Amino acid sequence: MTRSERNPRILAIVNQKGGVGKTTTAVNLATALAAVNKKVLLIDFDPQGNASTGFGIDPSRREVTSYDLILNDVPLTEGVQATAVPGLFIIPSTIDLSGAEIEMVSLMRREFRLKNAIDPHAADYDYLLIDCPPSLGLLTINALVAADAVLIPLQCEFYALEGLSHLMRTVELVRANLNAQLTIQGIVLTMYDRRNKFTEQIERDVRSYFGEQVYSAVIPRNVRMSEAPSHGKPALIYDMHCAGSKAYIQLASELLKRERRRKEELAA
C-alpha cells in the first residue's frame, strides 16, 4: 500500500520550551488514537527519552533508536517496538541523540534525514507522532520537514505567547524553504488551573489571537498524570477516569474531527 492510498498523517508535537506537557501530550494522544483503532507510531525524537520511559521501554531494550534512523541509515522497521497498547508502536530514544545535531552538520540535506527514514514506511500507519526535543535546533527542523502538520502544546503561563510567536516564525521559515505542505494542526492549552485567574486570561489571549487553531479541549494540572510515567504507563492506562485522561480523549476526538473535515475539503 502506498502512502497516498492509506493517507497517513505525520504530526510533529513541538514546543521549544521544556516542561509544557509536550511528551505527556505525545504519549496520551497516541494512546487515545490507538484506542479508536488507529494504527499509531510514536517516534521519540527527544534525547531525554521520556516518551520511551512513559511506555515502560527500559534503556537496555533501546537497541535501535531514532538516532540510528537519522545517522546510521537503519530502516525504520528495525527500530519499531510494540507497546502494551494494542495498535501503538514506538521508536525509542536515548541520550545518544543529543550529539546528533553536531554530527549532522556536515551531511548533505541534513534537514531531510528523518523524512527520508519515515517516508518509505509511513503507509504502514494511520498516524505517526514525533515527540520533538525542547529546542528549535536541527532535530526539530528534521521533524518539521518530515511532518504534515504541527501540534503545539502551550502551557498557560506569562511567557507562553512570546515563545509561541518564535515557534510560529520557525514553522513559517520551514514552510517557505523546506516543506511547503506544513500546516498547524492545532494548539492545545496544557497545565490548565481553573483556580488561577491568570490562566483564564492567557486562555482568552491565545483564543483571541489564534481563533479556531486552538482546541476546545484543555489539559488540566493533574496529579494522576504526573504519577503515570513512573509506572511506565500512559495516563489513559494508569487511570483512564482522571481529569487529564478525559481531556486527552477529548483532544483526540477533536483532532479526528479536524482530520475528517480536512479530507472532506480536499475531496470537494
Side-chain angles (χ1 to χ4, degrees), residues 160-203:
L161 284 173
E162 181 179 325
L164 183 56
S165 64
H166 188 192
L167 174 55
M168 290 297 194
R169 285 195 298 272
T170 301
V171 171
E172 287 298 328
L173 285 170
V174 170
R175 184 186 292 132
N177 297 286
L178 298 166
N179 181 5
Q181 308 306 313
L182 186 65
T183 61
I184 304 295
Q185 215 288 335
I187 299 167
V188 58
L189 297 171
T190 62
M191 300 185 178
Y192 195 93
D193 186 350
R194 296 189 185 280
R195 300 167 300 177
N196 188 333
K197 294 297 183 184
F198 187 69
T199 294
E200 294 181 358
Q201 180 61 52
I202 292 294
E203 180 181 13

Side-chain angles (χ1 to χ4, degrees), residues 108-173:
M108 293 287 291
R109 291 174 58 82
R110 56 185 178 268
E111 300 90 354
F112 292 83
R113 302 291 292 185
L114 183 61
K115 176 179 174 60
N116 292 341
I118 288 175
D119 275 359
H121 307 282
D124 293 339
Y125 304 93
D126 297 304
Y127 284 91
L128 296 90
L129 306 185
I130 308 170
D131 184 28
C132 297
S135 72
L136 293 178
L138 194 48
L139 289 176
T140 297
I141 298 300
N142 262 261
L144 295 177
V145 170
D148 299 310
V150 179
L151 192 154
I152 304 169
L154 186 69
Q155 186 179 3
C156 295
E157 64 162 30
F158 181 71
Y159 293 111
L161 284 173
E162 181 179 325
L164 183 56
S165 64
H166 188 192
L167 174 55
M168 290 297 194
R169 285 195 298 272
T170 301
V171 171
E172 287 298 328
L173 285 170

Side-chain angles (χ1 to χ4, degrees), residues 63-101:
E63 295 179 0
V64 178
T65 68
S66 51
Y67 172 92
D68 296 302
L69 301 189
I70 59 172
L71 281 163
N72 294 334
D73 296 322
V74 173
L76 180 137
T77 50
E78 292 189 18
V80 172
Q81 294 193 31
T83 71
V85 180
L88 175 53
F89 303 84
I90 188 170
I91 292 180
S93 171
T94 65
I95 196 64
D96 289 350
L97 193 61
S98 61
E101 294 198 348

